[in-house]
Amino acid sequence: MAAPCPLPPPDPQFVLRGTQSPVHALHFCEGRQAQGHPLLFSGSQSGLVHIWSLQMRRALTTLDGHGGQCVTWLQTLPQGHQLLSQGRDLKLCLWDLAEGRNAVVDSVPLESVGFCRSSILVQGQPRWMLAVPGKGSNEVQILEMPSKTSVCTLKPEADAKLGMPMCLRLWQADCSPRPLLLAGYEDGSVALWDVSEQKVCSRIACHEEPVMDLDFDSQKAKGISGSAGKALAVWRLDGQQALQVCGTHQLTNPGIAEVTIRPDRKILATAGWDHRIRVFHWRKMQPLAVLAFHSAAIQCVAFAADGLLAAGSKDQRISLWSLYPRA
Amino acid sequence: MMAVFDTPEEAFGVLRPVCVQLTKTQTVENVEHLQTRLQAVSDSALQELQQYILFPLRFTLKTPGPKRERLIQSVVECLTFVLSSTCVKEQELLQELFSELSACLYSPSSQKPAAVSEELKLAVIQGLSTLMHSAYGDIILTFYEPSILPRLGFAVSLLLGLAEQEKSKQIKIAALKCLQVLLLQCECQDHPRSLDELEQKQLGDLFASFLPGISTTLTRVITGDFKQGHSIVVSSLKIFYKTVSFIMADEQLKRISKVQAKSAVEHRVAELMVHREADWVKNTGNKLTILIKKIIECVSVHPHWKVRLELVELVEDLLLKCSQSLVESAGPLLKALVGLVNDESPEVQAQCNKVLRHFADQKVVVGNKALADILSESLHSLATSLPRLMTSQDDQGKFSTLSLLLGYLKLLGPKINFVLNSVAHLQRLSKALIQVLELDVADIKIVEERCWNSDDLNASPKTSATQPWNHIQRRYFRFFTDERIFMLLRQVCQLLGYYGNLYLLVDHFMELYRQSVVYRKQAAMILNELVTGAAGLEVEDLHEKHIKTNPEELREIVTSILEEYTSQENWYLVTCIETEEMGEELMMEHPGLQAITSGEHTSQVTSFLAFSKPSPIVCSMNSNIWQICIQLEGIGQFAYALGKDFCLLLMSTLYPVLEKAGDQTLLISQVATSTMMDICHACGYDSLQHLINQNSDYLVNGISLNLRHLALHPHTPKVLEVMLRNSDANLLPLVADVVQDVLATLDQFYDKRAASFVSVLHALLAALAQWFPDTGNLRHLHEQSLGEEGSHLNQRPATLENSTTAEDIEQFLLNYLKEKDVADGNVSDFDNEEEEQPVPPKVEENDTHPDVEPPLPLQIQMAMDVMERCIHLLSDKNLQIRLKVLRTLGSKCGDFLRSRFCKDVLPKLAGSLVTQAPISARAGPVYSHTLAFKLQLAVLQGLGPLCERLDLGEGDLNKVADACLIYLSAKQPVKLQEAARSVFLHLMKVDPDSTWFLLIELYCPTQFTPPHPSLHPVQLRGASRQQNPYMANVLRLLKELQ
């Protein structure tokens, strides 16, 4: 490790057990919805969503809405007590969690069986935009929610041969209201779509293996992607909305399931198939820690607003880590 | 007596002759005649004739010339009789009678009361008292006009003189009572009217002249010999404070004008009058303060509680009425009050508390700047001298000092923060507390007492008290022995926690806790009480509107203290010398942990060199044990303080507490168990099992994380063991999860720490077997064989009965031959020696997941994983581990192990027992602390159950028996004898006959007569009936066999 003063890697602050199934998705929920005590949502291979109280370190409720099929993505909507869950049962469920309710109030049928996670962009209340893998194997579908109106389908040019979309990130530059979509593809490339014009602004082939996940820091206009291979790629977006590879970081073992930048954009964490969580300094891309605790591949990592890191693994455990706590 | 003469006329007729007679001849007899007649006259008639009757009496008193005392006495008595039945309606008469009566005790030659008989003195005092009571209506007030001052003054000084100097207690009391009457303090029902402001002022002006005399004289009386009797002191105190509080009343004084009003009294009297203006008040106040201090000093230690009780009244009265005029005295007065808060008499205590509450209600302290300042100052100065007092005073002195401290805290309430905010004073205070709470850690028993069986968690919290400190461990302090002092100290800390700034205090004492091992235990005790106090559950609050620490904040504070308590360096302290479980690598990695803090310890606390007996090592281990216990008790107290809120802290506390419940040191394990009960109570669990079961997820979290640092947490497997015992099948997934960690850790440390893991695996298999009862054949067969064994054992006594017939013997012989035949190998079928394999369970075909292999049930998978490890451990080089593994495996799959055991293990075990036996037989008491002893004990304890479960053959059983026989000798350590007996008890179950024979050969208590004369008498080796070292144990075992 290149860290100047390597301390022994820390232990998890605590470990949540009880999903009884590999954990595929994690999402922190804070603020009003949780009455001051942050909650953690986890989605498991057995199709259940567990809602964990971080204060009690126990599961409060279990949501069963995906017919036993793996839950791959979880997201809460900022305005209310609503949770989105994406399952491999080809359904995206919208849950109402207000006042102790836990019922599916709406669902969006999906047409792709892949592992591609969806993405949302909340522009103005109450409307929001949803990007989901589309019907055609290389398509991304954009919906306006909550009306579920299809806005458009983003389909690469026929000769591009990008393969399936693997990961999606909707965003919006501060200076422009145009929604943009970053998508990682099976062929190892990352493309920037202008959603309104339905065209690819820029595309870079930054991995040799399928892109598994990406995260984007819109302030620095810089993003990172991880693949099934042994490298992390850092790329940025210039003024002309062209993607450029800034560098790659080689890993000892292949396979990154998820990469997440901490909300304060200081550090980032990756979920490794090699059972390890890796933590990097975001600006310098300096490796800070390799966290070994899990006994199987890590499938997801998430940061809470206060910096708490959660990792979900195939070994059915969710580990929580307090790293470089901010003063 | 019935009045005979109702009308004045009749009465006059009767009385006239005697009155005339008396006027003519003044003799005792004539006075007595008069009095006799008077008794037959009704009160109303008497009133009519009052002046007439009084005339001869007064005439007698006034007649110049020497008089016999006896005559005066009878005249006074008669006068008193008349006055007691009549009213004095004229002021003039009142004044004259007053003067005439007073004059009876006047001796012109001296200032002192005349040297007359005690009877006369008493009569005159009674007379004066009765006279004042007979004054009709308002004339009593007009009596107290300035012109009476000289005469009144004379009477007052006369009475004071009597009260001070008389020998007779009766006279003293009468004089004091009379003084009360004169000063209008009489408590009888005859003075209903209360005085208005003007009247009060006039009387105050008048009485002010007597104040110096009254106060000094009474002070002398009060501070006089304790032996003079408490009632005199009580009365004097009462007059003192009533007089002072009347004359010095702030209410009155604030109405006094600066310039004295011209009064129309003659010059002589005017000179005697006092004008109570500011200067006079200040001077008098100062002088009174001196007297009050004297009184307090003397009375607060008065042996009679009624006197101390009166002191409380004095304080209350003076502080309520004269807090401004007597501002200088307020400090001493409060101190006196506060000092009596913990008086040994419950009456005084109750009154003190009542007064304190009254003060608080009236905002006497909090609302009154001056008094609050005085109290703060007193607390300041007490805090300053406290460290010195705590070292220099004896228990009684400490008790009163701490009572005083407690009282100040109670009285100041929330205002104690003024004192606490001063760093210097907080330091003084804390220094004193820390100093006095120092424990005596020289008791060697604490380290020695071991807990052999730590698994008993069956106690129910319902049996324990609701308050944690009712079962607080008795401890010994270096600087005091009186338990009451400890209670006081706790109350002091609780009050500090209740009123004080908790953040400040906790910070301060946490700092001391961290600073040095010398302070650590005391600081922890204080922290525990601070939190208890802050919760306000036990504090008697005098300041009702005080806002308690809010629960959220309290929980945060508790969380931070708990973090410190359960941190690696404060929770895992060396408490025993054994290194067995510590592991060598720990000592190498963390020399700090092992360095038992002895160096620091001796520096300040005690130079242990002075005592040669307990070694520094023992002392510091004791100290460590106490620290852990105090911290454990603290956790219990925190739970009590937080109630249900404590549930949120279980995730971090349950694991460490449970760990300590399994500690080898008896004290620690006891305290930890009671802490767990406190937790049950607070969080609403009905039993320890319930607590553990419901919080297994937290425990698993702790276990799993600690297994990652096993060297630092060597007791982790033990916690899992306890958890397993208290879990049920519902927790299987959780258990499976942590078992993965356990097995992974075992794989990593199989060479160093296998021993502690094997017992966990054993517990796991036992738990699995219990949660998932086997319904297959194996178990059934096993039970059957057990049953047969049992019945075989039961049949045995029948064959020993005396009514043996020839047929029985024949049958026995035949059976014997047959069995011998079998033993020689002439048997057709052998037991099936196949290995027992877990039966693969039938799993339903599941078409929906064609890519997933049907998994084994979780419990079977776990059991297989465990067995796999155990097989490897069978070849471990550590004997104890091999034994434990064998027991684990033996209980589950006996047959297959038998051969390996007999071939590889048994010879070594037997060999080691035989070679070690002579050594242990010779060894002294210290031997029981050696590793060799523990090994012997473990082997002996383990062999019995193994032999039984593995169902060993005769030859191997003999090997076992031979090796263990020597341990039945009385020369062996008791524990080894006990263990050896247990081996034989097991052997009896397997083969009772040969065991019996073996024992009988060692020592035979009876002669065996052959059942039939045709048989030869048996000669047994053990039948010598000589005393031998095996006798006792053999007899005990034989008794079991019958």
Side-chain angles (χ1 to χ4, degrees):
Chain A
M1 254 177 59
C5 178
L7 293 165
D11 279 336
Q13 198 180 47
F14 58 95
V15 178
L16 300 175
R17 293 172 169 82
T19 59
Q20 294 186 43
S21 168
V23 182
H24 277 264
L26 286 173
H27 177 72
F28 280 103
C29 169
E30 279 145 286
R32 272 188 308 151
Q33 289 122 301
Q35 277 98 42
H37 298 300
L39 297 177
L40 177 67
F41 296 92
S42 74
S44 67
Q45 189 166 297
S46 61
L48 299 181
V49 174
H50 288 85
I51 305 179
W52 303 88
S53 155
L54 294 181
Q55 193 193 22
M56 297 289 296
R57 301 182 182 174
R58 280 181 180 157
L60 299 173
T61 334
T62 311
L63 310 177
D64 184 2
H66 291 283
Q69 298 291 303
C70 183
V71 175
T72 55
W73 179 68
L74 293 167
Q75 175 72 48
T76 44
L77 294 178
Q79 69 264 41
H81 313 270
Q82 286 181 307
L83 171 76
L84 283 168
S85 66
Q86 178 185 357
R88 295 199 70 199
D89 59 341
L90 301 182
K91 227 167 59 179
L92 198 142
C93 296
L94 180 63
W95 302 82
D96 176 17
L97 302 179
E99 292 155 8
R101 287 190 290 271
N102 44 28
V104 178
V105 284
D106 203 353
S107 70
V108 179
L110 300 175
E111 287 166 295
S112 161
V113 284
F115 279 96
C116 180
R117 294 168 173 143
S118 305
S119 178
I120 60 164
L121 176 63
V122 180
Q123 293 162 297
Q125 313 284 1
R127 290 187 309 124
W128 43 282
M129 187 178 272
L130 174 69
V132 295
K135 187 178 184 183
S137 69
N138 57 356
E139 293 171 2
V140 176
Q141 198 186 7
I142 307 289
L143 299 164
E144 191 190 270
M145 297 296 284
S147 63
K148 299 196 275 183
T149 327
S150 176
V151 176
C152 60
T153 302
L154 307 179
K155 188 180 165 82
E157 287 161 28
D159 58 347
K161 292 198 174 146
L162 298 179
M164 288 192 290
M166 302 297 290
C167 48
L168 306 171
R169 188 78 23 124
L170 275 173
W171 64 285
Q172 200 172 16
D174 289 341
C175 50
S176 147
R178 300 168 78 92
L180 299 165
L181 175 75
L182 279 161
Y185 286 93
E186 200 179 355
D187 72 339
S189 64
V190 173
L192 177 71
W193 288 86
D194 184 316
V195 174
S196 333
E197 293 183 14
Q198 301 172 39
K199 70 161 182 99
V200 175
C201 303
S202 170
R203 184 172 77 87
I204 42 167
C206 42
H207 296 281
E208 288 171 2
E209 302 284 332
V211 180
M212 297 307 294
D213 193 33
L214 60 82
D215 201 0
F216 187 67
D217 173 357
S218 59
Q219 280 193 4
K220 293 197 179 79
K222 209 166 85 166
I224 181 161
S225 54
S227 75
K230 278 186 166 185
L232 289 170
V234 180
W235 29 264
R236 49 189 219 97
L237 203 57
D238 65 15
Q240 280 71 48
Q241 295 207 320
L243 289 166
Q244 287 173 349
V245 176
C246 306
T248 55
H249 185 91
Q250 292 300 313
L251 302 168
T252 357
N253 300 309
I256 292 297
E258 188 163 10
V259 48
T260 306
I261 303 170
R262 199 163 75 177
D264 66 353
R265 294 182 299 277
K266 294 244 166 66
I267 60 172
L268 69 96
T270 65
W273 292 354
D274 62 353
H275 314 179
R276 284 167 175 68
I277 305 161
R278 287 184 167 73
V279 182
F280 295 89
H281 191 282
W282 172 219
R283 192 162 49 80
K284 302 182 199 158
M285 272 314 282
Q286 184 185 35
L288 298 176
V290 178
L291 305 176
F293 169 77
H294 288 285
S295 55
I298 299 177
Q299 326 243 36
C300 45
V301 283
F303 278 109
D306 66 356
L308 193 67
L309 169 67
S313 160
K314 210 172 168 177
D315 69 5
Q316 314 188 352
R317 302 176 185 178
I318 300 165
S319 55
L320 286 128
W321 308 74
S322 176
L323 301 168
Y324 312 103
R326 286 170 297 168
Chain B
M1 176 182 285
M2 282 279 287
V4 181
F5 310 104
D6 280 337
T7 63
E9 292 75 21
E10 285 173 328
F12 183 73
V14 177
L15 293 175
R16 188 172 170 271
V18 280
C19 282
V20 170
Q21 182 64 32
L22 179 58
T23 314
K24 279 183 189 158
T25 331
Q26 292 145 5
T27 61
V28 176
E29 291 72 34
N30 286 340
V31 179
E32 277 166 356
H33 272 144
L34 175 60
Q35 190 155 1
T36 317
R37 293 279 168 90
L38 284 176
Q39 277 162 358
V41 177
S42 74
D43 284 358
S44 57
L46 211 53
Q47 182 68 49
E48 291 286 315
L49 299 172
Q50 187 195 46
Q51 297 264 21
Y52 181 78
I53 303 160
L54 287 178
F55 176 79
L57 294 169
R58 293 175 63 194
F59 180 75
T60 311
L61 287 180
K62 278 192 279 196
T63 312
K67 292 177 282 266
R68 287 182 298 128
E69 273 181 26
R70 181 74 189 89
L71 175 65
I72 302 176
Q73 185 192 337
S74 60
V75 169
V76 171
E77 278 166 1
C78 188
L79 202 77
T80 306
F81 177 81
V82 174
L83 291 174
S84 69
S85 310
T86 58
C87 293
V88 178
K89 291 183 173 172
E90 289 153 43
Q91 198 205 336
E92 212 174 316
L93 178 64
L94 182 61
Q95 289 186 357
E96 281 171 18
L97 282 172
F98 183 80
S99 308
E100 284 158 16
L101 278 172
S102 311
C104 293
L105 295 182
Y106 177 66
S107 145
S109 53
S110 74
Q111 291 291 319
K112 286 181 182 172
V116 293
S117 74
E118 292 191 343
E119 287 77 11
L120 178 56
K121 287 174 186 165
L122 204 55
V124 171
I125 295 168
Q126 296 291 356
L128 277 173
S129 194
T130 311
L131 172 67
M132 296 315 283
H133 276 104
S134 72
Y136 179 77
D138 284 349
I139 70 153
I140 186 77
L141 286 177
T142 49
F143 171 80
Y144 289 100
E145 62 184 12
S147 60
I148 196 77
L149 198 57
R151 277 174 281 174
L152 187 59
F154 170 70
V156 166
S157 63
L158 190 72
L159 290 170
L160 283 171
L162 289 171
E164 187 185 0
Q165 273 143 18
E166 276 307 309
K167 289 216 168 50
S168 153
K169 195 171 158 184
Q170 204 187 359
I171 295 179
K172 281 168 171 256
I173 295 203
L176 288 169
K177 284 265 179 296
C178 186
L179 197 57
Q180 274 181 305
V181 177
L182 280 189
L183 296 171
L184 292 176
Q185 293 165 8
C186 183
E187 283 160 334
C188 73
Q189 299 297 308
D190 299 343
H191 321 277
R193 198 169 79 86
S194 58
L195 305 170
D196 64 28
E197 277 177 16
L198 188 68
E199 290 163 346
Q200 282 184 5
K201 186 190 161 296
Q202 282 169 353
L203 279 172
D205 284 341
L206 199 69
F207 291 161
S209 310
F210 314 141
L211 187 58
I214 293 176
S215 57
T216 48
T217 313
L218 288 180
T219 303
R220 283 199 299 272
V221 173
I222 292 164
T223 58
D225 193 347
F226 285 161
K227 285 180 202 141
Q228 66 183 319
H230 72 271
S231 50
I232 291 166
V233 185
V234 169
S235 297
S236 306
L237 274 170
K238 200 178 280 285
I239 299 170
F240 180 90
Y241 74 75
K242 287 210 164 160
T243 310
V244 170
S245 72
F246 185 74
I247 297 165
M248 301 296 283
D250 295 333
E251 268 309 289
Q252 276 192 47
L253 294 175
K254 73 182 178 196
R255 274 190 275 273
I256 304 276
S257 58
K258 282 200 175 135
V259 189
Q260 189 170 16
K262 277 264 179 280
S263 64
V265 292
E266 52 181 302
H267 181 67
R268 193 175 61 87
V269 174
E271 262 188 346
L272 294 174
M273 290 290 286
V274 165
H275 182 221
R276 293 179 289 166
E277 38 69 48
D279 278 350
W280 179 88
V281 171
K282 196 165 182 297
N283 285 332
T284 312
N286 288 343
K287 285 174 191 153
L288 282 171
T289 299
I290 298 170
L291 299 178
I292 288 171
K293 277 184 182 163
K294 269 191 195 166
I295 290 174
I296 288 170
E297 194 185 327
C298 175
V299 171
S300 55
V301 294
H302 198 282
H304 202 287
W305 65 270
K306 281 190 175 163
V307 176
R308 301 194 303 273
L309 187 66
E310 202 59 37
L311 182 61
V312 178
E313 306 279 358
L314 177 142
V315 173
E316 179 181 27
D317 202 45
L318 293 185
L319 280 181
L320 282 177
K321 292 182 181 153
C322 316
S323 62
Q324 283 158 38
S325 57
L326 291 179
V327 71
E328 296 294 315
S329 306
L333 286 169
L334 280 174
K335 186 175 164 183
L337 182 61
V338 163
L340 291 172
V341 164
N342 287 295
D343 195 88
E344 60 194 27
S345 141
E347 285 88 351
V348 176
Q349 260 190 37
Q351 186 60 25
C352 252
N353 280 318
K354 205 178 116 200
V355 171
L356 286 175
R357 190 171 288 280
H358 185 200
F359 281 6
D361 288 347
Q362 301 278 305
K363 302 264 180 281
V364 167
V365 174
V366 181
N368 186 326
K369 184 84 174 63
L371 275 186
D373 287 352
I374 288 162
L375 272 178
S376 297
E377 250 168 54
S378 312
L379 183 54
H380 265 116
S381 64
L382 182 59
T384 310
S385 53
L386 203 55
R388 180 177 53 77
L389 293 174
M390 286 300 106
T391 42
S392 59
Q393 286 179 319
D394 60 2
D395 272 15
Q396 190 53 47
K398 283 193 184 91
F399 183 79
S400 20
T401 306
L402 288 170
S403 295
L404 194 60
L405 177 62
L406 185 66
Y408 283 141
L409 297 178
K410 270 190 184 171
L411 211 50
L412 270 171
K415 297 212 163 186
I416 59 172
N417 282 316
F418 290 135
V419 177
L420 300 181
N421 283 337
S422 147
V423 180
H425 286 94
L426 177 57
Q427 271 173 358
R428 292 266 177 173
L429 192 64
S430 71
K431 188 181 168 195
L433 290 174
I434 293 260
Q435 209 170 49
V436 74
L437 279 169
E438 190 181 320
L439 291 173
D440 182 358
V441 290
D443 188 0
I444 191 157
K445 260 206 307 234
I446 293 168
V447 175
E448 270 189 343
E449 277 181 329
R450 297 271 130 194
C451 185
W452 294 102
N453 181 14
S454 61
D455 306 327
D456 184 26
L457 291 176
N458 294 318
S460 148
K462 278 178 188 140
T463 56
S464 79
T466 44
Q467 300 168 356
W469 45 85
N470 285 350
H471 51 258
I472 197 163
Q473 285 294 331
R474 163 91 200 180
R475 56 200 61 175
Y476 300 92
F477 296 90
R478 272 196 65 205
F479 293 112
F480 64 89
T481 49
D482 191 341
E483 188 74 357
R484 292 180 310 155
I485 294 180
F486 182 47
M487 295 316 290
L488 267 181
L489 285 164
R490 300 180 66 171
Q491 286 180 54
V492 164
C493 296
Q494 286 174 14
L495 271 185
L496 285 172
Y498 186 69
Y499 291 121
N501 176 343
L502 195 61
Y503 284 105
L504 174 82
L505 288 165
V506 167
D507 261 13
H508 180 85
F509 285 102
M510 276 321 280
E511 193 52 48
L512 288 172
Y513 176 93
R514 291 188 199 104
Q515 215 172 69
S516 158
V517 68
V518 179
Y519 306 142
R520 199 157 294 147
K521 292 182 294 297
Q522 301 93 302
M525 278 190 259
I526 295 168
L527 284 165
N528 296 349
E529 302 300 336
L530 285 175
V531 169
T532 308
L537 293 166
E538 297 297 311
V539 179
E540 188 198 3
D541 190 6
L542 293 173
H543 307 264
E544 273 165 25
K545 281 171 192 154
H546 174 63
I547 300 153
K548 286 191 295 180
T549 317
N550 92 39
E552 193 95 350
E553 280 175 13
L554 191 60
R555 205 178 68 223
E556 275 171 29
I557 288 170
V558 166
T559 308
S560 69
I561 301 176
L562 281 178
E563 257 172 41
E564 196 73 37
Y565 279 4
T566 56
S567 68
Q568 185 70 41
E569 66 272 22
N570 293 322
W571 196 252
Y572 300 99
L573 302 167
V574 179
T575 55
C576 55
I577 310 171
E578 292 163 273
T579 51
E580 177 200 1
E581 296 203 43
M582 292 289 293
E584 285 165 19
E585 75 269 46
L586 174 65
M587 283 184 258
M588 288 185 290
E589 282 172 30
H590 299 271
L593 291 181
Q594 201 66 358
I596 315 174
T597 63
S598 58
E600 299 156 82
H601 212 273
T602 42
S603 62
Q604 183 170 343
V605 176
T606 316
S607 80
F608 284 112
L609 300 171
F611 312 92
S612 53
K613 265 194 263 168
S615 73
I617 301 269
V618 168
C619 286
S620 49
M621 283 197 299
N622 267 342
S623 161
N624 287 345
I625 290 171
W626 273 117
Q627 190 189 326
I628 293 169
C629 288
I630 290 165
Q631 290 171 176
L632 279 166
E633 278 170 358
I635 295 176
Q637 282 175 261
F638 298 161
Y640 174 69
L642 292 181
K644 276 255 186 282
D645 273 2
F646 194 80
C647 289
L648 284 173
L649 302 181
L650 283 179
M651 62 184 79
S652 51
T653 38
L654 188 57
Y655 178 90
V657 174
L658 190 58
E659 197 176 11
K660 293 298 175 202
D663 200 281
Q664 286 195 316
T665 306
L666 185 64
L667 189 67
I668 294 181
S669 119
Q670 279 173 347
V671 175
T673 307
S674 91
T675 299
M676 299 236 296
M677 293 200 205
D678 293 338
I679 295 176
C680 282
H681 243 285
C683 301
Y685 295 104
D686 5 294
S687 64
L688 297 185
Q689 277 95 334
H690 195 209
L691 171 71
I692 293 170
N693 196 324
Q694 296 291 300
N695 294 288
S696 293
D697 51 345
Y698 294 154
L699 290 174
V700 162
N701 192 56
I703 293 165
S704 153
L705 293 180
N706 283 342
L707 281 174
R708 286 159 63 85
H709 311 282
L710 196 61
L712 289 178
H713 303 277
H715 300 294
T716 309
K718 191 88 192 158
V719 178
L720 177 56
E721 221 179 305
V722 176
M723 193 196 101
L724 284 171
R725 279 206 202 95
N726 292 286
S727 303
D728 56 40
N730 293 328
L731 297 174
L732 185 68
L734 207 55
V735 170
D737 186 297
V738 77
V739 165
Q740 280 180 18
D741 292 330
V742 170
L743 293 178
T745 318
L746 172 60
D747 291 348
Q748 200 183 340
F749 293 103
Y750 69 93
D751 50 342
K752 287 173 192 150
R753 316 194 153 270
S756 48
F757 281 101
V758 176
S759 18
V760 176
L761 298 181
H762 185 79
L764 172 67
L765 290 186
L768 288 178
Q770 193 197 333
W771 299 344
F772 302 97
D774 185 6
T775 48
N777 294 338
L778 288 173
R779 188 182 176 82
H780 183 63
L781 278 176
H782 182 61
E783 272 170 10
Q784 212 174 27
S785 70
L786 265 180
E788 277 166 9
E789 260 176 34
S791 63
H792 181 47
L793 197 62
N794 293 340
Q795 282 168 4
R796 249 198 117 266
T799 59
L800 279 175
E801 273 173 29
N802 286 334
S803 61
T804 318
T805 61
E807 287 77 42
D808 287 335
I809 297 168
E810 187 186 343
Q811 188 55 46
F812 179 81
L813 201 65
L814 286 173
N815 284 343
Y816 172 75
L817 287 173
K818 196 174 155 198
E819 280 181 14
K820 194 167 180 297
D821 213 27
V822 173
D824 289 344
N826 304 328
V827 199
S828 48
D829 54 337
F830 270 107
D831 283 345
N832 196 347
E833 293 263 345
E834 250 179 88
E835 265 183 47
E836 288 172 21
Q837 287 285 4
V839 184
K842 287 179 189 166
V843 180
E844 289 172 37
E845 290 289 312
N846 195 336
D847 292 330
T848 49
H849 300 290
D851 52 334
V852 182
E853 271 184 43
L856 285 173
L858 199 51
Q859 68 274 22
I860 294 188
Q861 185 62 53
M862 280 162 71
M864 276 174 64
D865 290 345
V866 170
M867 301 284 191
E868 201 179 298
R869 265 47 168 223
C870 288
I871 289 168
H872 292 301
L873 287 172
L874 265 183
S875 53
D876 196 282
K877 59 180 184 296
N878 183 326
L879 185 62
Q880 266 185 306
I881 291 176
R882 290 207 297 273
L883 262 174
K884 279 185 174 174
V885 172
L886 279 171
R887 280 186 64 180
T888 304
L889 284 176
S891 63
K892 300 297 163 234
C893 37
D895 279 356
F896 123 89
L897 279 168
R898 189 191 308 142
S899 58
R900 289 202 62 171
F901 175 74
C902 297
K903 210 166 71 194
D904 304 337
V905 185
L906 185 57
K908 286 187 187 169
L909 292 184
S912 87
L913 281 180
V914 171
T915 46
Q916 203 60 33
I919 301 172
S920 57
R922 282 194 309 269
V926 196
Y927 184 70
S928 65
H929 292 282
T930 62
L931 203 62
F933 171 81
K934 282 172 189 150
L935 207 61
Q936 277 171 300
L937 189 62
V939 173
L940 286 172
Q941 284 172 339
L943 265 178
L946 260 179
C947 291
E948 196 183 338
R949 283 203 203 115
L950 289 178
D951 201 12
L952 294 190
E954 198 183 332
D956 294 316
L957 286 180
N958 282 342
K959 273 187 213 161
V960 172
D962 286 342
C964 298
L965 268 182
I966 14 181
Y967 288 92
L968 291 179
S969 162
K971 290 174 186 159
Q972 293 287 344
V974 180
K975 277 227 177 285
L976 295 184
Q977 293 182 44
E978 222 168 76
R981 280 203 307 275
S982 83
V983 175
F984 283 96
L985 286 175
H986 283 283
L987 291 180
M988 283 175 198
K989 289 190 196 157
V990 183
D991 190 351
D993 291 323
S994 63
T995 312
W996 175 81
F997 186 70
L998 200 73
L999 293 173
I1000 282 293
E1001 282 222 308
L1002 262 185
Y1003 176 77
C1004 180
T1006 46
Q1007 280 289 340
F1008 289 99
T1009 39
H1012 198 271
S1014 62
L1015 294 170
H1016 286 291
V1018 199
Q1019 271 304 323
L1020 291 164
R1021 264 197 293 162
S1024 60
R1025 293 195 62 89
Q1026 280 171 350
Q1027 294 281 328
N1028 80 33
Y1030 301 101
M1031 184 177 75
N1033 283 317
V1034 170
L1035 282 177
R1036 281 177 77 165
L1037 286 169
L1038 286 175
K1039 212 169 160 193
E1040 290 289 327
L1041 261 176
Q1042 269 149 22

